[in-house]
Amino acid sequence: MLKRLAAIGVGLALVCATAACRGTEAGDGPDASPSSEWIAGSVSPGQSKPGTKASGPATSVSPKPGTEVNWGDPAVVENFNGPLNSRWGVYDSPDSKPPRSSDMVSVSGGMLHLSGGVSQKAGKDVGAGLGYFREQMFGKWEVRFRVQAGAGYAPAVLLWPEDNADWPAHGEIDMMEVIDPKRQGGGTYLHHGKDNAHVGVDYKKADFTKFHTVGVEWLPSRVTFFLDGQPYFNVTADMIDTGLPDEGRCTWRSSSTRVAATRSRAATRRPRRRS
């Protein structure tokens, strides 16, 4: 149950990674299953590129956009049908910036809820956050979520370095940040390098008060972002002055910076080797 509307109710379908599989359309409801799809390579209008172009060539190890990727079975699937297991780490740092408290995270009705508001435990206005600590470099992640309209809190779904000290040098992949109080669009970004170079789409239009599936494919030669199974932003090494992140493994995380309700499935996959 949300603490207040301004503290956004976020419905996140946690880390559901499925390659060559697509998220369902918002109208299909939170229980709909992914279906197969092909990866396209177009970049949508509204893309921003704060960094300068890299001088080195892109790696050509992984499949290019426009080709089918056979990811195999998910390595992790989370349906939130019971208590969180030991791989989940809930943030409990009410005196940090931003402040978050563990009592603002709950699981019920097949949903993970991240709430923002006055915490009974902390005695003040805080947000929520957690991570799934299965470190992995390269793969595909998908998250199905929704967010209540309201100002004051904003949800983020992202991949973060295994060690906090490695940020921003080892990168950050923001699958979606919904800052708009009306929840009618969100931003997608790739960060990398000690000076925090980044590229992204500042505003991808979608009604995030309804369930949507966001996803990302992170491969040596590209990082491709998806909304409801459709690719809309593809990053290659020549688009950012530091190249693509490849220094280390990342974990999946979600936070409400002063937000939240989450639902559905979470999964991650590694590419299947071809013989």
Side-chain angles (χ1 to χ4, degrees), residues 120-180:
Q120 291 185 354
K121 177 181 177 181
K124 60 182 180 180
D125 193 5
V126 298
L130 80 170
Y132 188 84
F133 295 99
R134 181 184 189 278
E135 294 80 14
Q136 180 172 322
M137 183 166 64
F138 307 130
K140 181 166 184 175
W141 291 257
E142 288 182 344
V143 176
R144 190 159 178 79
F145 74 99
R146 69 181 179 189
V147 187
Q148 280 186 329
Y153 285 78
V157 181
L158 64 152
L159 299 180
W160 186 264
E162 180 180 2
D163 188 332
N164 286 340
D166 291 331
W167 186 91
H170 288 193
E172 171 187 346
I173 300 175
D174 297 315
M175 298 166 67
M176 191 59 66
E177 297 179 348
V178 185
I179 299 175
D180 176 11

Side-chain angles (χ1 to χ4, degrees), residues 192-214:
H192 188 219
K194 63 182 180 63
D195 295 324
N196 196 21
H198 58 284
V199 313
V201 174
D202 290 325
Y203 198 78
K204 177 63 176 175
K205 188 175 180 180
D207 182 0
F208 285 106
T209 65
K210 300 178 181 179
F211 278 103
H212 288 278
T213 300
V214 298

Side-chain angles (χ1 to χ4, degrees), residues 86-260:
S86 60
R87 281 192 178 271
W88 290 96
V90 177
Y91 299 169
D92 193 18
S93 52
D95 297 322
S96 298
K97 293 182 179 181
R100 301 185 179 107
S101 181
S102 60
D103 65 329
M104 309 303 276
V105 177
S106 63
V107 176
S108 64
M111 297 180 69
L112 169 66
H113 303 268
L114 305 180
S115 300
V118 178
S119 159
Q120 291 185 354
K121 177 181 177 181
K124 60 182 180 180
D125 193 5
V126 298
L130 80 170
Y132 188 84
F133 295 99
R134 181 184 189 278
E135 294 80 14
Q136 180 172 322
M137 183 166 64
F138 307 130
K140 181 166 184 175
W141 291 257
E142 288 182 344
V143 176
R144 190 159 178 79
F145 74 99
R146 69 181 179 189
V147 187
Q148 280 186 329
Y153 285 78
V157 181
L158 64 152
L159 299 180
W160 186 264
E162 180 180 2
D163 188 332
N164 286 340
D166 291 331
W167 186 91
H170 288 193
E172 171 187 346
I173 300 175
D174 297 315
M175 298 166 67
M176 191 59 66
E177 297 179 348
V178 185
I179 299 175
D180 176 11
K182 295 182 179 179
R183 315 305 178 201
Q184 297 304 299
T188 292
Y189 304 96
L190 172 70
H191 301 250
H192 188 219
K194 63 182 180 63
D195 295 324
N196 196 21
H198 58 284
V199 313
V201 174
D202 290 325
Y203 198 78
K204 177 63 176 175
K205 188 175 180 180
D207 182 0
F208 285 106
T209 65
K210 300 178 181 179
F211 278 103
H212 288 278
T213 300
V214 298
V216 66
E217 288 186 343
W218 174 25
L219 293 168
S221 65
R222 63 175 172 84
V223 177
T224 306
F225 295 86
F226 297 79
L227 177 64
D228 295 325
Q230 300 302 311
Y232 65 91
F233 183 47
N234 186 65
V235 184
T236 53
D238 62 326
M239 296 170 64
I240 182 169
D241 55 357
T242 57
L244 299 178
D246 61 0
E247 292 88 350
R249 298 176 294 180
C250 286
T251 60
W252 180 91
R253 305 196 186 193
S254 179
S255 67
S256 75
T257 359
R258 289 228 175 191
V259 80

